[in-house]
Amino acid sequence: MVNNCLIYGIHTCKEVLNSDRVVVNKVYLLKNNKQDINWLQMINCNCVTYLNRSGFNNLFSTRVVHQGVAMEVTINCNNSLIELKNIDSNYTIAMLDNVTDPHNVGAIIRSAAVFGIKAIITHNRSSCKISGIVAKAASGGLAHVKIFSVNNLANAIRELKKYGFWIVSLCESGNVYLHEINLKGKICLILGAEGKGIRRLQKEQSDFIVKLPTTSYFSTLNVSATAAISFYEVAHQNGFVINQG
């Protein structure tokens, strides 16, 4: 499955050049752009179009922070999980159940890239599509995280279990804390939207339903914040290495 969209912003556009899952079809540059765009030398000049400010702003339906750079890209979103069948023993992925806000999805992808989460599984109807807003919020993370878009999350969980994955759902009503379980090996973390949370079928198939330690008087976290904390815990248990670069 392919996903075509318009992405924008220097860091977002620069990072996708390093990805084999993103194809750049066209580049738009603002005339007399004072930003450093020497990295665009990596792109075929035949696909670059220069626009004045009015023309550039007309590319977008809403006001965005584009920094004078935009790209029409094709993002490959796999609809088959078969490549997860024979993978290394330590491999963590995340599944998003009913997470529809593009800013949250983008932030989750960004955190996944930071903490080494290999892939994210979404539902092709009840989750938001990969878009410019998602890409911008991911701040280049799309170049480093595989995206799977499947027809049925419950079926996807059953398939992952056959491949040796442990299924861990994050819920405020969890009966154990995340840091109390072993997160080494093949792990799939399920994150649900605020309000609706994770649906019943996904919970029923989970090996663990866990929660984060919070204060007793205020326990609600945004889903992207929950994801970042959970991804860090996975990285920590698997020998997180601080970036020295």
Side-chain angles (χ1 to χ4, degrees):
M1 176 179 158
V2 296
N3 191 87
N4 298 311
C5 65
L6 182 71
I7 66 174
Y8 49 87
I10 289 178
H11 192 65
T12 300
C13 292
K14 186 176 182 179
E15 283 295 308
V16 301
L17 299 184
N18 301 316
S19 175
D20 58 2
R21 292 183 292 277
V22 182
V23 177
V24 178
N25 302 315
K26 198 164 186 176
V27 179
Y28 298 99
L29 294 179
L30 181 65
K31 287 181 180 178
N32 302 317
N33 191 350
K34 293 181 171 56
Q35 302 281 356
D36 178 12
I37 53 174
N38 291 330
W39 50 272
L40 281 171
Q41 294 174 2
M42 299 169 61
I43 300 178
N44 181 355
C45 291
N46 293 329
C47 70
V48 178
T49 299
Y50 291 87
L51 299 171
N52 60 28
R53 186 164 296 278
S54 175
F56 201 94
N57 289 336
N58 286 338
L59 293 172
F60 311 99
S61 58
T62 59
R63 189 173 182 178
V64 300
V65 181
H66 52 65
Q67 298 175 294
V69 181
M71 293 179 177
E72 288 181 9
V73 300
T74 298
I75 301 171
N76 293 314
C77 300
N78 297 344
N79 55 16
S80 171
L81 303 179
I82 191 64
E83 68 178 89
L84 301 178
K85 184 176 182 179
N86 300 307
I87 55 174
D88 296 336
S89 57
N90 287 327
Y91 198 99
T92 304
I93 62 177
M95 176 180 287
L96 307 185
D97 188 4
N98 273 330
V99 181
T100 57
D101 183 273
H103 296 95
N104 277 334
V105 173
I108 291 169
I109 293 171
R110 182 176 186 174
S111 295
V114 167
F115 293 115
I117 305 304
K118 306 297 186 183
I120 290 178
I121 300 173
T122 66
H123 189 262
N124 60 13
R125 291 187 302 277
S126 63
S127 295
C128 76
K129 304 294 184 184
I130 301 300
S131 64
I133 297 174
V134 171
K136 181 67 173 175
S139 193
L142 275 172
H144 306 283
V145 180
K146 294 180 181 179
I147 305 296
F148 293 88
S149 181
V150 300
N151 294 325
N152 187 296
L153 293 182
N155 288 344
I157 291 173
R158 283 189 280 270
E159 187 174 354
L160 289 172
K161 284 192 165 189
K162 291 179 182 178
Y163 298 161
F165 279 84
W166 292 92
I167 311 300
V168 180
S169 286
L170 274 294
C171 297
E172 285 185 53
S173 59
N175 50 22
V176 65
Y177 290 119
L178 178 65
H179 66 272
E180 293 177 332
I181 67 171
N182 186 347
L183 294 170
K184 295 180 180 179
K186 298 179 182 179
I187 303 293
C188 175
L189 296 173
I190 304 182
L191 297 150
E194 295 171 70
K196 293 182 180 179
I198 299 169
R199 287 176 289 185
R200 177 181 57 82
L201 284 178
Q202 279 69 273
K203 283 185 182 178
E204 288 178 353
Q205 294 190 83
S206 297
D207 298 297
F208 301 96
I209 298 179
V210 303
K211 58 185 176 181
L212 298 178
T214 61
T215 59
S216 60
Y217 52 85
F218 195 81
S219 60
T220 300
L221 270 178
N222 175 281
V223 65
S224 61
T226 298
I229 295 168
S230 303
F231 296 166
Y232 172 80
E233 179 60 29
V234 173
H236 176 69
Q237 288 196 26
N238 284 277
F240 184 69
V241 177
I242 298 174
N243 178 15
Q244 300 292 341

